[in-house]
Structures are given as structure tokens and as C-alpha cells.
Amino acid sequence: MSGDLGHAPVGIDELLERVRAGYRRIEAREAHEAARRGEALLVDIRYAALRERDGLIPGALVVERNELEWRLDPQGSHRVPEATGHDLRVVVICNEGYASSLAVASLHRLGLHRATDLVGGFQAWRAQGLPVEPTGP
């Protein structure tokens, strides 16, 4: 039986609110400083067309959203070298800070209890004047 049996459906706005209540989100400047000090791994989950259009955050690990759990699970056979343990401080970055919150909920279920996401996503990062590098030639 499903664990959700008997529970009323939840709309996306309420789901986001519930998910975000379980952790502290991070602002762009704080994320930049944490990454610069080596205290956080920035993970860009935007799809390729957005990365090509808007550029990349220098030093961020690019992981497509549909591969995120497989790449960051410290126990997984498909993990990236950066996935060193469940204490890893991951900052998930999507375009505007919505999909990243749902991704964080999934990472928490995998035991990555320090995972968080960027308020406002890549667009907030760029609006703060933080480093962005163009993609391609």
C-alpha cells in the first residue's frame, strides 16, 4: 500500500512550503562565499539550453536534474568524485529557485542532510553581480 493512502492531494505551492520548512535556504552571496572557502559544493541542475543562454557559475558542478540523486549519493555506483559523504554541504541551483527546493527534499531522503538550495536560483546569483562565465565559443 502507498504511504500516501488516505491523504488529501497537496498543491505545488503547499508542497514547496512544506519542503522549505525543513531546512534553511541560502542567499547567493552566502553561497558564493561558502563555495570560495571550500565549505560548499555548488550544483547547477539547470538544463543545457539555460546554461548555454545564461552562462555558468565558475566552479559549480553541472548535474542534470534527472541524474542528481545518482551523482550525489555517496553510496551510489554512479556518484561523482565530489560526493564524499552524507555530511557534504550541497547548494542546489536551478534557474529561479523552485525545482531546486524539490531536489533538496530528494537529497535529504538520501541522507544528505546538509543539502540546501539557492533562493532565487541562478537568476538571483546573476542579479547580485556574482561571477558568471559564458559557455561555448
Side-chain angles (χ1 to χ4, degrees), residues 87-108:
D87 283 340
L88 183 66
R89 186 176 185 203
V90 175
V91 178
V92 182
I93 303 167
C94 68
N95 193 47
E96 295 183 343
Y98 295 98
S100 57
S101 295
L102 299 178
V104 166
S106 184
L107 293 178
H108 285 177

Side-chain angles (χ1 to χ4, degrees), residues 104-126:
V104 166
S106 184
L107 293 178
H108 285 177
R109 286 193 295 274
L110 281 177
L112 291 155
H113 60 95
R114 296 181 68 209
T116 188
D117 70 322
L118 190 65
V119 175
F122 177 87
Q123 297 305 327
W125 178 280
R126 186 169 66 175

Side-chain angles (χ1 to χ4, degrees), residues 4-15 18:
D4 293 330
L5 196 61
H7 293 280
V10 175
I12 188 61
D13 292 334
E14 184 178 343
L15 179 60
R18 287 184 188 181

Side-chain angles (χ1 to χ4, degrees), residues 8-118:
V10 175
I12 188 61
D13 292 334
E14 184 178 343
L15 179 60
L16 277 172
E17 194 176 306
R18 287 184 188 181
V19 163
R20 290 172 175 169
Y23 65 97
R24 188 181 73 79
R25 302 178 79 206
I26 191 170
E27 298 286 342
R29 290 201 181 281
E30 184 183 353
H32 178 256
E33 286 301 311
R36 192 182 58 74
R37 290 190 307 266
E39 296 171 0
L41 175 64
L42 304 181
V43 180
D44 186 345
I45 64 169
R46 293 175 300 145
Y47 52 89
L50 288 176
R51 295 192 311 267
E52 290 164 12
R53 182 190 78 187
D54 293 340
L56 299 169
I57 295 172
L61 178 67
V62 174
V63 179
E64 295 281 339
R65 172 63 191 98
N66 63 330
E67 297 180 356
L68 186 67
E69 292 82 356
W70 284 267
R71 298 293 185 220
L72 292 185
D73 178 3
Q75 299 172 329
S77 58
H78 292 51
R79 70 184 175 274
V80 293
E82 293 88 347
T84 54
H86 288 99
D87 283 340
L88 183 66
R89 186 176 185 203
V90 175
V91 178
V92 182
I93 303 167
C94 68
N95 193 47
E96 295 183 343
Y98 295 98
S100 57
S101 295
L102 299 178
V104 166
S106 184
L107 293 178
H108 285 177
R109 286 193 295 274
L110 281 177
L112 291 155
H113 60 95
R114 296 181 68 209
T116 188
D117 70 322
L118 190 65

